[in-house]
Amino acid sequence: MLKVKVLTIFPEMFPGFLGYSLTGKALEEKKWQIDTVNIRDYALDKHKSVDDTPCGGGAGMIMRPDVLGRAIEDNYNSGRIIYMSPRGVPLSQKLAHELANEENLTIICGRFEGIDERVIEAYNIEEVSIGDYILTGGEQASQILLDSVIRLLPGVLGNNESLEDESFENCLLEYPQYTRPIEWNGKKVPDILLSGHHKKIQDWRKQQAIDTTKQKRPDLFKIYLDSKNS
Ligand code: SAH
């Protein structure tokens, strides 16, 4: 079972949307577990302050290394330790698969202008970004990361096959999907999908995935071509 520990100043934000749908059901079924640690509990002053002004000046506040350090020391035992950060390695389906194979994950959620650099160095923390934009906090980012990981855990998705054809699994985006009614607003579902020819449908979908990727994500298409030629 994947055990997740989240260090945050907003523990009440968890499990958040992870408590719904497939990830919520998996949580109930103990396919994964989440513990939150309130970083504020490790502040020693009467105001419970976790942040201070940046050395060298500039806007905003920085999370203090002493408070966060104590929270880590008291709660981290083993496994990968991740700080959600716009400077991190971009979250990818590959990384999600990697993390889904772990037993323990510790995730630090930043607030304000982020955390003191020395904490990142001291605990060998990996930085992971969910994209090139800035959020107000790591809590939202951590839930997105965890959502992508949890749905890959064994038995979380009903049908294991639904994973294989998904976007990014083979450096390709997913082919277009249709359901009933067969005709809607004068538009029909492509005949091939109604033909019952399993092999022809498979070939059509593969070609559609290739065409879609080439058109919508030329950067990804290049990686697909390279992976085929290597
Ligand atoms: N001053 C920082 C941004 C701080 S945003 C900078 O310019 O890099 C506050 C917190 O939100 C961060 O500490 C981080 O934990 C989280 N966060 C913001 N954007 C994120 C992103 N794209 N990916 C992951 N975490 C993010």
Side-chain angles (χ1 to χ4, degrees), residues 23-196:
T23 49
K25 189 160 161 268
L27 184 59
E28 263 173 37
E29 290 171 351
K30 302 204 172 6
K31 293 191 168 114
W32 67 289
Q33 134 189 344
I34 186 163
D35 288 312
T36 51
V37 173
N38 191 342
I39 298 169
R40 221 174 265 291
D41 290 345
Y42 293 87
L44 300 179
D45 63 317
K46 72 169 191 274
H47 299 293
K48 298 256 167 231
S49 37
V50 294
D51 57 324
D52 208 333
T53 54
C55 294
M61 300 295 274
I62 309 298
M63 290 177 80
R64 291 166 51 150
D66 53 343
V67 179
L68 188 52
R70 277 193 292 274
I72 296 170
E73 295 280 344
D74 205 28
N75 293 286
Y76 173 72
N77 1 6
S78 62
R80 292 170 77 160
I81 173 164
I82 293 171
Y83 166 49
M84 302 313 302
S85 159
R87 302 189 319 184
V89 295
L91 174 60
S92 62
Q93 195 62 16
K94 183 164 169 279
L95 180 59
H97 275 287
E98 235 180 86
L99 298 179
N101 284 319
E102 296 289 324
E103 300 241 306
N104 292 286
L105 288 179
T106 303
I107 303 181
I108 299 167
C109 303
R111 279 275 154 181
F112 318 109
E113 290 307 322
I115 69 177
D116 187 292
E117 189 72 19
R118 290 168 293 178
V119 179
I120 301 175
E121 292 163 6
Y123 298 99
N124 222 346
I125 294 173
E126 296 176 56
E127 294 179 81
V128 177
S129 165
I130 64 156
D132 291 346
Y133 43 81
I134 306 292
L135 303 169
T136 50
E139 288 77 8
Q140 298 90 313
S142 72
Q143 286 179 23
I144 287 174
L145 169 87
L146 287 171
D147 188 282
S148 75
V149 171
I150 293 158
R151 64 196 296 287
L152 298 177
L153 297 175
V156 172
L157 289 193
N159 169 5
N160 256 346
E161 278 176 38
S162 54
L163 273 175
E164 284 166 25
D165 279 351
E166 266 185 337
S167 298
F168 308 116
E169 288 297 344
N170 307 304
C171 299
L172 287 175
L173 300 176
E174 195 179 57
Y175 44 78
Q177 296 270 33
Y178 303 87
T179 184
R180 274 162 286 277
I182 302 301
E183 193 170 330
W184 173 75
N185 272 6
K187 282 176 179 284
K188 254 200 91 190
V189 169
D191 285 334
I192 180 86
L193 298 177
L194 310 172
S195 69

